[in-house]
Amino acid sequence: MSNWMDRFFGLQMNETTVKREMSAGVIGFFTVVYIIAVNSLILSESGMPLEAAIIATIAASVFGCLVMGFWGNAPILLVPGMGINALFSYTMVQSMGLSWPEALTVVFVSGIIFVIIAFTRLAKMLSAAVPYSLKEAITVGLGLFLMLIGLEKGGIVVNGSNSILALGSLGEAHVLATVLTFVVAIVLFIRNVPGNFLITIVLGTVIASFFGLIDPSGMSGSGVELSEAFAVFGALTFDGILSMTFWIAVFSLTMVIVFENIGTVQGQVSFIEHPQKFGRAFQATSVSAMASGIFGTSPTVASAESASAMAAGGRTGLTAVTTGLLFLVSVFFIPVIKLIPDSAIAPILIIVGGLMLQNIRNLDMKDMSESFPALFIIALIPFTYSIADGIAIGFILYPVLKIAIGKWREVSMTLYIIAGLFLVNFVFHVIS
């Protein structure tokens, strides 16, 4: 069995082992499993049944991780994207007036366009058009974003305030449990203890239990009825496909999923020092995003939390496959998974984010036309809580500054078009 895995995933070539890959997959699962509850709740705001949204979220995550594992052979976890799910429920449905089945059709059509881009020369053209400084900035911005998520999950930062002093809305016990778990996590990580992140989750859960942060009674709750999946599975409707509103939604969503994933996937394959994996990983991402509309959820994306699996040693698709299978099993263990507190996950996100921040040393700070757009991306990804918005501002500012100093020829025509499309997308959002 291990020999087959070695040949299929190229474990020796990637200098990794079955044990390390599967351990990284487990770590990745526990850092991103919160998406089951959070994505489902946001989707329910569109009028979608909550139970069905839970199953759809799990199904799309299973499919996405397996496609990434077997086709992309990269340790990238594909799950419904935060921010994009809000675009689905609050913008497309509540603001633009689409029904949730129509919004699922938007997801499907946008996914088809994404697939066309990913499987043609357009993918290489778009990738080549992004300057090196902006690619590095996306990695750093994702690192800051992960740190912010970790700090919020730990109760250390609440709406931008310092809750170590104010003790935030999560309470003193939660903050103290996070701090103690972080000390354990950073010591284990620096000492390079095998399985350090997994040990952190276990010990972090034990620490949280001492502070009374775990309620075992939650395990008595029932799971989710699998039959509920059919409430949203294949629920697409093409009744509104001729309306302008429908195509504005398609345009906006396509811009977000294509360029967010270009930036994220590039940053992540660079993080594991295997940039040659970008092509297939990007293709896997597109297929998963398209299938999300059929499963009944907002599009899957390359999650920022994938970096936690990579930091744990994940280098191949076996990591993603492991996570996907755990998502499948999670249908029967949702009450157990809910026992793992945020205070046990937060330190891992903080550490991984800190690792990604190190790429800032690759930026040329002497050339402001290069560094300033990059710094905007780094700042705005966490500050706007949107990877897509942060990337968009940087992509718009870059050609503007190059034109201002007379170096407009250094910008490719492709990037000018991308910047223009991002600008049009912002205008559409303002109008709507």
Side-chain angles (χ1 to χ4, degrees):
M1 184 68 166
S2 60
N3 289 334
W4 174 84
M5 290 184 180
D6 188 8
R7 290 193 302 270
F8 186 88
F9 294 107
L11 301 182
Q12 286 188 355
M13 183 176 63
N14 287 275
E15 299 180 346
T16 186
T17 63
V18 172
K19 181 180 179 181
R20 185 183 302 165
E21 292 293 302
M22 295 185 72
S23 176
V26 173
I27 292 297
F29 172 73
F30 283 120
T31 56
V32 80
V33 69
Y34 72 89
I35 200 66
I36 295 176
V38 176
N39 187 65
S40 304
L41 289 170
I42 293 176
L43 290 181
S44 69
E45 294 291 315
S46 69
M48 190 181 293
L50 178 60
E51 299 290 292
I54 292 174
I55 292 297
T57 299
I58 294 174
S61 300
V62 171
F63 180 80
C65 289
L66 294 182
V67 169
M68 177 58 73
F70 289 117
W71 179 255
N73 195 22
I76 298 174
L77 314 180
L78 301 181
V79 300
M82 291 297 296
I84 296 180
N85 47 20
L87 175 66
F88 180 96
S89 293
Y90 303 126
T91 301
M92 291 196 295
V93 175
Q94 294 187 10
S95 296
M96 301 179 73
L98 297 175
S99 64
W100 63 261
E102 289 175 328
L104 289 177
T105 309
V106 170
V107 173
F108 179 69
V109 173
S110 296
I112 291 176
I113 298 173
F114 189 2
V115 167
I116 293 172
I117 292 172
F119 282 84
T120 63
R121 291 182 59 190
L122 287 172
K124 289 186 177 179
M125 288 175 57
L126 293 175
S127 178
V130 181
Y132 175 79
S133 60
L134 300 189
K135 291 178 181 179
E136 290 295 327
I138 291 169
T139 300
V140 177
L142 288 173
L144 269 180
F145 192 38
L146 274 181
M147 291 192 78
L148 176 61
I149 293 173
L151 291 169
E152 288 183 342
K153 278 181 171 293
I156 296 171
V157 169
V158 180
N159 295 325
S161 64
N162 180 346
S163 70
I164 287 182
L165 299 178
L167 295 180
S169 60
L170 295 177
E172 179 180 6
H174 185 95
V175 175
L176 291 177
T178 300
V179 172
L180 288 176
T181 305
F182 176 78
V183 172
V184 171
I186 196 65
V187 169
L188 292 174
F189 180 78
I190 291 177
R191 292 182 63 86
N192 199 27
V193 175
N196 55 81
F197 284 163
L198 187 58
I199 295 173
T200 295
I201 291 174
V202 174
L203 293 180
T205 303
V206 172
I207 290 171
S209 68
F210 283 129
F211 283 94
L213 299 175
I214 296 178
D215 182 11
S217 63
M219 293 185 64
S220 61
S222 60
V224 179
E225 292 293 333
L226 293 177
S227 60
E228 290 289 343
F230 295 101
V232 295
F233 183 83
L236 291 73
T237 175
F238 291 87
D239 292 342
I241 196 169
L242 297 179
S243 70
M244 180 62 70
T245 301
F246 179 88
W247 288 104
I248 289 175
V250 168
F251 173 77
S252 298
L253 186 60
T254 302
M255 288 291 293
V256 171
I257 61 176
V258 169
F259 290 101
E260 175 171 336
N261 282 296
I262 281 181
T264 306
V265 173
Q266 280 185 334
Q268 290 173 341
V269 295
S270 296
F271 183 65
I272 61 172
E273 299 180 349
H274 286 288
Q276 74 278 4
K277 293 190 176 187
F278 171 78
R280 283 206 166 197
F282 191 57
Q283 291 171 354
T285 306
S286 70
V287 172
S288 179
M290 178 183 67
S292 297
I294 299 174
F295 284 117
T297 179
S298 53
T300 55
V301 300
S303 69
E305 289 84 357
S306 301
S308 63
M310 297 172 187
R315 291 297 178 268
T316 73
L318 182 55
T319 293
V321 170
T322 301
T323 301
L325 294 177
L326 288 174
F327 265 112
L328 181 61
V329 175
S330 71
V331 173
F332 307 101
F333 295 97
I334 291 175
V336 178
I337 293 171
K338 288 181 179 178
L339 286 182
I340 300 173
D342 285 345
S343 61
I345 300 299
I348 295 174
L349 298 179
I350 294 170
I351 292 172
V352 173
L355 291 176
M356 299 177 75
L357 284 180
Q358 296 178 65
N359 281 44
I360 199 169
R361 65 177 179 269
N362 298 327
L363 295 180
D364 181 8
M365 294 297 180
K366 295 179 181 179
D367 185 351
M368 291 299 290
S369 67
E370 292 285 338
S371 64
F372 215 70
L375 292 173
F376 258 73
I377 289 176
I378 293 170
L380 289 176
I381 286 179
F383 286 166
T384 62
Y385 223 81
S386 169
I387 297 171
D389 287 347
I391 291 174
I393 295 297
F395 278 30
I396 293 171
L397 186 59
Y398 187 89
V400 169
L401 294 186
K402 289 296 184 181
I403 292 172
I405 61 175
K407 294 184 178 180
W408 57 273
R409 290 185 180 86
E410 294 183 3
V411 182
S412 67
M413 181 55 65
T414 304
L415 187 57
Y416 279 120
I417 295 173
I418 294 172
L421 291 174
F422 269 126
L423 189 59
V424 170
N425 188 45
F426 278 133
V427 172
F428 276 149
H429 279 290
V430 171
I431 294 175
S432 62

